[in-house]
Amino acid sequence: MTQQTASRVLLTRNRFRARKPKTAPTYHRTLISRTQLSTTRGKRFYWIALTVALVLATLVFIGPLFWMATGGFKTSQELVRNPPVLLPSHPSTHAFSLAWNRLGMAQLLWNTVVYAGGALLFQLTFCVGAAYSLSKLRPIFGNWILALMLASMMIPAAALVIPQYLTVLDLPLVHWNLQNTPWVIWLPTVANAFNVFLLKRFFDSIPNDLLDAAAVDGAGPLRTLWRIVLPISRPILGVISIFAIVAVWKDFLWPLITVPAHETLNVGVNTAATSMPDNALVGGLFLASIPTIVLFLFFQRNIMAGLTVGGVKG
Amino acid sequence: MAYALATERLQDTTRRGGSQSTWTALRRAAGRNLRAHAFLFGALVCFALFTWYPMIREIIMSFQRVHRGQTTWVGLGNYRQVAADPEFWQAWRNTLEFSGLALVFGFAAPFAVAIVVNEFRHAQGYLRILVYLPVMLPPVAGILLFKYFMDPGFGLFNEALHILHLPKSQWLASKSSAMPSLVVVSTWGNMGTATLVYLAALQGIPGDLYEAAELDGCSVLQRIRHVTIPQTRLILSLMAMLQIVATMQMFTEAFVLTGGGPEGSTTTVVYLLYNYAFNYNKFNTAAALGVIMLLVLACFSAIYIVLERRGSED
């Protein structure tokens, strides 16, 4: 389940929900009423349930990360000891440095950043251009083109992998082989109907009067896009940026077959997994996860807001 | 259609330009269309190259076979070959098993978590971050981690079962438990998105409904059955459809953890597609499989769209 599909659900849902007049955000009644919870028994039950939930959730979702982080400090024997050891008896960073070097982690990280950054740039440029054109410039056949784009949302990505792979090996007309170049990651990400749809819907909500005023002032379409449309669209651009980066970061099958010489973090870690000592591998997994964890904690508000993108008025 | 659009543009231009000659108006309209298409160009090329063309190419490929560089038409030959392959039926059974199990777990778990978390007045943000954290990890890191937890010898999971006096499991090593184990991995990694979507949906349920149900003497479980589920019905069914389409494309987990084994028990359809193309070098057979997959999953996508429509009419 990707983020895009999830927000697609929210989009369809929120679009049709009657807008309630905004009142002060007071308490919202849920399953169990507050009166029921404010009895002594209710209070006790609430706090017990909350504690259990917190402990359980921490165990299930942070536990593995903790095991991964401490595992890198253990020796391989200690890592697989039965019963398991909670903390390493002689912590050593040897496994981490081994993993860093053996995996070529710096290179893998750099590759992934280049792929994700480029994909973001291309998607922002081309998807915004397309959505602006379809929404405001309204070219001939625009509706047909939009329909064809949206139709591609019905196609499961994995089913098209074979012909896509053959296409990038020998690009039609120009006969370029894109394998092992960043283009093979960058360009296909532009063909993202959901992005175009999301942007077009947002652009549709920008009043035409605003654009006409700019036109009267002598601004061409490019200038209008740059000076008027884009500044207004900052929230939706943020959402799309997050989607773009996360999609490249998480993809596995496509980079596996198209960039074997310049692997992404995902593919590289998997390739090296079989030839590494256990503690180095576990340490490597942790190293590979650090950037995402840090980024997530840093941007978690925006990322979660991206999920509820349906809140965008359209 | 196009003609109508063109005349509409033309009239539009003449109206604005006042008493221009038809020729000037036509030239203006053409210029404007050219500009609009220039904005569309990048995205259009990408869609054509990486979605539309591969789609047509896959269908054509599926009716052809290549032998010593010679392409011949074989009609339904590839499809017959695929259908005669016992692995094909095995792969569909495996995929359906994964999808079904993932639907039961991956559906019930996030919904239950969302309902519980929604009741808490404290630590909601913390719980939300916890559930969502695995979604952000590089998938291979999260997946490989479970290789250690699920080890039949020293794995933490068997240790936990031992403490609870339950029989140990072979997890990924046995034919019968391999697929359910993959479901556990995938649910851990992906449930965050669904949970957040459900949370957003739960927060939209009017509190009066719970109030009324409570006055009518409904217990908590009855309130879930008669208020929560009907109120979120549309989102639940949409998510179910999306999840079916997403889980039927499962590849990474099987590729990283089991390699399709033991004894082909985790070879999914996408895995088989990958094998056909990149291990057996039979791209045309893979294309036929791709078309079959496309047709099956497009049915689910169609159901999704119908549901979405119906939801918008409510």
Side-chain angles (χ1 to χ4, degrees), chain A residues 29-296:
Chain A
R29 166 74 155 87
T30 51
L31 195 54
I32 299 164
S33 74
R34 197 152 275 195
T35 22
Q36 212 173 347
L37 278 182
S38 55
T39 60
T40 325
R41 243 186 85 207
K43 263 186 204 156
R44 197 175 297 157
F45 180 76
Y46 175 85
W47 285 109
I48 290 172
L50 183 64
T51 317
V52 170
L54 285 177
V55 170
L56 217 63
T58 310
L59 209 66
V60 170
F61 293 108
I62 301 269
L65 293 180
F66 174 79
W67 187 86
M68 192 155 74
T70 53
F73 290 107
K74 294 175 188 166
T75 61
S76 279
Q77 289 85 343
E78 209 177 5
L79 189 75
V80 299
R81 188 169 300 162
N82 203 352
V85 195
L86 192 63
L87 286 170
S89 49
H90 304 288
S92 140
T93 54
H94 175 69
F96 287 110
S97 52
L98 185 66
W100 183 270
N101 295 327
R102 193 76 82 76
L103 283 170
M105 191 75 86
Q107 186 65 46
L108 291 180
L109 266 172
W110 174 245
N111 290 346
T112 312
V113 167
V114 168
Y115 296 146
L120 171 65
L121 215 68
F122 274 94
Q123 276 183 56
L124 281 183
T125 317
F126 290 139
C127 292
V128 164
Y132 176 61
S133 173
L134 291 170
S135 170
K136 295 301 181 197
L137 307 177
R138 317 210 106 261
I140 270 189
F141 302 126
N143 290 338
W144 288 95
I145 291 168
L146 184 67
L148 274 177
M149 284 179 176
L150 292 181
S152 72
M153 276 166 50
M154 301 249 306
I155 302 171
L160 275 193
V161 157
I162 300 302
Q164 277 173 339
Y165 172 72
L166 295 175
T167 305
V168 296
L169 285 189
D170 180 25
L171 223 55
L173 304 177
V174 287
H175 299 292
W176 290 333
N177 182 354
L178 298 183
Q179 201 180 26
N180 282 325
T181 66
W183 299 97
V184 78
I185 306 276
W186 292 341
L187 293 181
T189 58
V190 175
N192 184 333
F194 186 66
N195 275 356
V196 176
F197 171 69
L198 214 59
L199 285 166
K200 181 186 177 285
R201 252 171 48 88
F202 195 92
F203 292 164
D204 283 344
S205 73
I206 298 174
N208 278 326
D209 298 347
L210 212 57
L211 306 189
D212 288 344
V216 168
D217 287 345
L222 193 61
R223 205 182 166 81
T224 315
L225 175 65
W226 189 251
R227 302 299 284 272
I228 301 202
V229 175
L230 286 187
I232 300 177
S233 313
R234 215 175 285 162
I236 199 79
L237 296 178
V239 166
I240 284 180
S241 307
I242 289 167
F243 286 163
I245 291 170
V246 170
V248 173
W249 192 265
K250 298 204 70 163
D251 202 6
F252 184 76
L253 178 54
W254 185 247
L256 176 74
I257 59 179
T258 56
V259 281
H262 311 286
E263 291 167 321
T264 59
L265 198 58
N266 260 317
V267 178
V269 168
N270 184 51
T271 315
T274 44
S275 63
M276 292 226 297
D278 285 314
N279 59 346
L281 177 60
V282 172
L285 297 183
F286 184 64
L287 290 180
S289 309
I290 291 176
T292 5
I293 297 173
V294 171
L295 274 181
F296 173 56

Side-chain angles (χ1 to χ4, degrees), chain B residues 31-53:
Chain B
R32 255 198 334 194
N33 261 306
L34 216 60
R35 227 168 2 180
H37 276 290
F39 274 93
L40 206 50
F41 183 72
L44 218 51
V45 168
C46 289
F47 268 96
L49 276 181
F50 302 111
T51 308
W52 302 329
Y53 170 65

